[in-house]
């Protein structure tokens, strides 16, 4: 089944990655699924306030700024989600008594009910992916793996699960966001689902498992795009539009990998 703009159900919108080189931060990146874009920056390890100091590991602080106005409940909830998602991928014990701060901003509205409101799951995925790329760009915080997130929905008219749903997919009766951690050892790439946020209006069994499987395939495309973008990280023109091409075989991993990751 072909979707709006000719996409297949397993295909996200065009992935665009750029490393913007923001001032006074250690790393920054912009990630987009088509028009759904997010910008993130990383500072650290830096000096931490005494009240937030942790003697055994670095303190991870995540701030999400809305496109307008001051951070409200939704922005604070997204910040907590990003912090919980990224913490397992970071080796924070290597830098105790310091602060790692991530500041992210969705560059599209994700609140309200107007026609310009973006799908909140797509915005969440973009913010998570931009934050991961900013960490890679900083290179100052050792990582166990790379976190990649994608949105998935089920069309009400056809019952088809689709990756990165947009307005062309019509009404959804089930939707959510999934995040996977990818680890790499040479050419061997492993993935593990580390976070799921799913809701549906019907009690169909097996929909969640199918959605997670589809999300895992799409997250592999996001990881491949991130991997391809690293070569251009320090170039003058760092803006890269990545076609969806997955060259690596992705396998599910049920074990833990405490070593520093490769990308």
């Amino acid at each position: 089944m072909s979707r709006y703009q000719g996409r297949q159900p397993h295909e996200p919108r065009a992935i665009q990655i750029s490393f913007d080189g923001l001032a006074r931060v250690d790393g920054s990146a912009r990630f987009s699924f088509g028009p759904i874009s997010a910008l993130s920056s990383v500072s650290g390890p830096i000096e931490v306030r005494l009240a937030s100091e942790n003697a055994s590991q670095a303190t991870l602080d995540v701030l999400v700024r809305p496109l307008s106005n001051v951070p409200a409940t939704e922005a604070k909830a997204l910040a907590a989600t990003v912090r919980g998602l990224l913490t397992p991928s970071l080796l924070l014990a290597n830098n105790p008594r310091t602060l790692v701060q991530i500041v992210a901003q969705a560059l599209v509205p994700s609140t309200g009910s107007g026609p310009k409101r973006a799908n909140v799951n797509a915005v969440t995925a973009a913010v998570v992916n931009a934050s991961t790329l900013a960490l890679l760009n900083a290179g100052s915080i050792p990582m166990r793996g790379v976190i990649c997130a994608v949105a998935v929905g089920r069309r009400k008219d056809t019952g088809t699960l689709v990756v990165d749903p947009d307005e062309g997919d019509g009404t959804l009766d089930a939707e959510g966001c999934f995040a996977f951690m990818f680890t790499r050892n040479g050419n061997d790439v492993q993935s593990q689902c580390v976070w799921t946020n799913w809701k549906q209006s019907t009690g169909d069994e097996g929909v969640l498992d199918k959605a997670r499987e589809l999300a895992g395939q799409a997250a592999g495309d996001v990881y491949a795009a991130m991997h391809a973008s690293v070569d251009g990280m320090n170039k003058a023109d760092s803006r890269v539009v990545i076609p969806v091409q997955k060259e690596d075989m992705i396998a599910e991993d049920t074990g833990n990998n405490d070593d520093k990751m490769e990308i």
Side-chain angles (χ1 to χ4, degrees):
M1 182 198 72
S2 181
R3 301 159 63 193
Y4 179 63
Q5 295 181 337
R7 287 195 291 149
Q8 296 300 313
H10 66 278
E11 292 178 339
R13 283 168 284 191
I15 295 173
Q16 181 169 314
I17 294 170
S18 63
F19 300 98
D20 293 349
L22 299 181
R24 293 181 292 181
V25 296
D26 295 304
S28 61
R30 186 190 303 257
F31 182 94
S32 303
F33 286 117
I36 307 299
S37 183
L39 177 66
S40 185
S41 68
V42 171
S43 300
I46 56 178
E47 185 178 355
V48 62
R49 291 182 302 173
L50 185 61
S52 302
E53 186 178 278
N54 190 325
S56 61
Q57 64 179 29
T59 300
L60 178 62
D61 182 34
V62 179
L63 302 174
V64 175
R65 295 174 177 169
L67 189 60
S68 60
N69 298 323
V70 297
T73 302
E74 184 174 344
K76 293 177 180 179
L78 180 54
T81 295
V82 174
R83 184 182 184 278
L85 269 172
L86 294 179
T87 296
S89 71
L90 303 177
L91 295 169
L92 297 175
N94 286 26
N95 297 284
R97 301 182 186 275
T98 61
L99 172 68
V100 175
Q101 186 175 67
I102 298 174
V103 180
Q105 183 175 42
L107 303 180
V108 291
S110 59
T111 59
S113 57
K116 294 184 178 180
R117 182 187 186 276
N119 182 299
V120 66
N121 293 306
V123 171
T124 298
V127 168
V128 170
N129 294 334
S131 299
T132 292
L133 285 162
L135 286 164
L136 292 171
N137 185 235
S140 54
I141 302 97
M143 302 173 69
R144 292 188 178 91
V146 175
I147 301 293
C148 301
V150 293
V152 174
R154 187 175 68 174
R155 296 178 54 158
K156 186 175 182 179
D157 56 351
T158 63
T160 304
L161 288 168
V162 293
V163 169
D164 188 25
D166 60 14
E167 63 278 1
D169 291 310
T171 303
L172 305 176
D173 62 4
E175 59 182 319
C177 185
F178 300 84
F180 294 78
M181 183 164 73
F182 291 82
T183 56
R184 188 183 189 98
N185 183 11
N187 291 326
D188 181 26
V189 181
Q190 303 287 328
S191 71
Q192 180 180 9
C193 185
V194 294
W195 182 73
T196 299
N197 180 25
W198 182 255
K199 61 180 180 179
Q200 61 187 72
S201 58
T202 60
D204 298 350
E205 296 182 4
V207 175
L208 176 58
D209 291 337
K210 292 177 181 178
R212 186 183 292 114
E213 181 180 358
L214 184 64
Q217 297 172 5
D221 294 332
V222 174
Y223 173 78
M226 289 185 180
H227 186 267
S229 73
V230 170
D231 289 338
M233 188 178 292
N234 296 317
K235 296 179 180 179
D237 183 8
S238 60
R239 187 175 301 275
V240 182
V241 178
I242 306 293
V244 178
Q245 293 179 346
K246 183 165 56 177
E247 299 178 354
D248 298 307
M249 294 300 295
I250 308 298
E252 292 292 331
D253 178 30
T254 56
N256 294 322
N257 184 355
D258 293 332
D259 296 328
K260 185 176 179 180
M261 64 91 195
E262 296 180 28
I263 184 167

